[in-house]
Amino acid sequence: VSPDRSNDVIARPLGMVRCTVFDRDRLIATIEAHNLFVNAGLPALAALLGGDTTGEFAVAVGFGTGSGAPALADAGLTAPAYYKALDSHTENGAGSVTFNWSLTTGDPGAVGITIQELGLFANKTVVTLPGTSQPSPLLARKTISPIGFTSSMSLVGTWTLTF
């Protein structure tokens, strides 16, 4: 007989998203807020701990139009959306990893999107980045105040997960 685990709290990584928004190299907004590590990301963590690294690690950031609050059951972003590879990452040796990302004038596929959500993705499905096809699984999600992305804008950000 298995024990009733319906009231168990699942420990999740804590996340912090930081972003600066520029238009024509002029700072127009700064964002700093916590994110939600979603259920779809938990199997990726288990696989990594078990030694299976194929497609289970964070590789992409997504920019979507959804304004609904993040929920544990989220599996993706709302279309239209744009996805691109993370720029780099660093680990602090004490249980945190920071992913660096950007969206620049070199990303014409994002022009015209009203960005209201950000997503951190693994790429087990092996989609081509950058592009409009969503990688999977979604690891974490954050909604933000709307940003109408134009060809003169850039976003520079970090996504830190602490375990």
Side-chain angles (χ1 to χ4, degrees), residues 12-13 15 34-38 70-74 139-142 159:
R12 296 174 186 280
H34 290 281
N35 70 237
L36 179 65
F37 197 91
V38 298
L72 292 175
D74 288 347
L139 303 173
R141 182 170 171 261
K142 174 68 188 148
W159 203 309

Side-chain angles (χ1 to χ4, degrees), residues 10-133:
I10 297 174
R12 296 174 186 280
L14 301 174
M16 177 64 70
V17 176
R18 293 177 178 87
C19 175
T20 50
V21 182
F22 298 91
D23 190 359
R24 293 182 174 81
D25 296 323
R26 193 186 80 220
L27 178 66
I28 60 171
T30 301
I31 300 163
E32 183 172 344
H34 290 281
N35 70 237
L36 179 65
F37 197 91
V38 298
N39 289 343
L42 295 175
L45 289 180
L48 285 171
L49 287 172
D52 179 7
T53 59
T54 305
E56 301 290 5
F57 49 91
V59 297
V61 61
F63 308 89
T65 59
S67 60
L72 292 175
D74 288 347
L77 300 181
T78 305
Y82 181 75
Y83 307 90
K84 67 178 290 190
L86 296 167
D87 295 336
S88 63
H89 78 277
T90 56
E91 300 165 22
N92 74 353
S96 288
V97 59
T98 298
F99 302 100
N100 302 298
W101 55 269
S102 59
L103 187 63
T104 68
T105 56
D107 291 301
V111 172
I113 294 176
T114 299
I115 300 167
Q116 295 187 97
E117 61 183 333
L118 304 171
L120 183 65
F121 292 86
N123 194 9
K124 192 167 187 164
T125 53
V126 194
V127 301
T128 302
L129 299 168
T132 57
S133 296

Side-chain angles (χ1 to χ4, degrees), residues 1-19:
V1 175
S2 26
D4 177 10
R5 300 184 62 97
S6 61
N7 292 322
D8 288 356
V9 174
I10 297 174
R12 296 174 186 280
L14 301 174
M16 177 64 70
V17 176
R18 293 177 178 87
C19 175

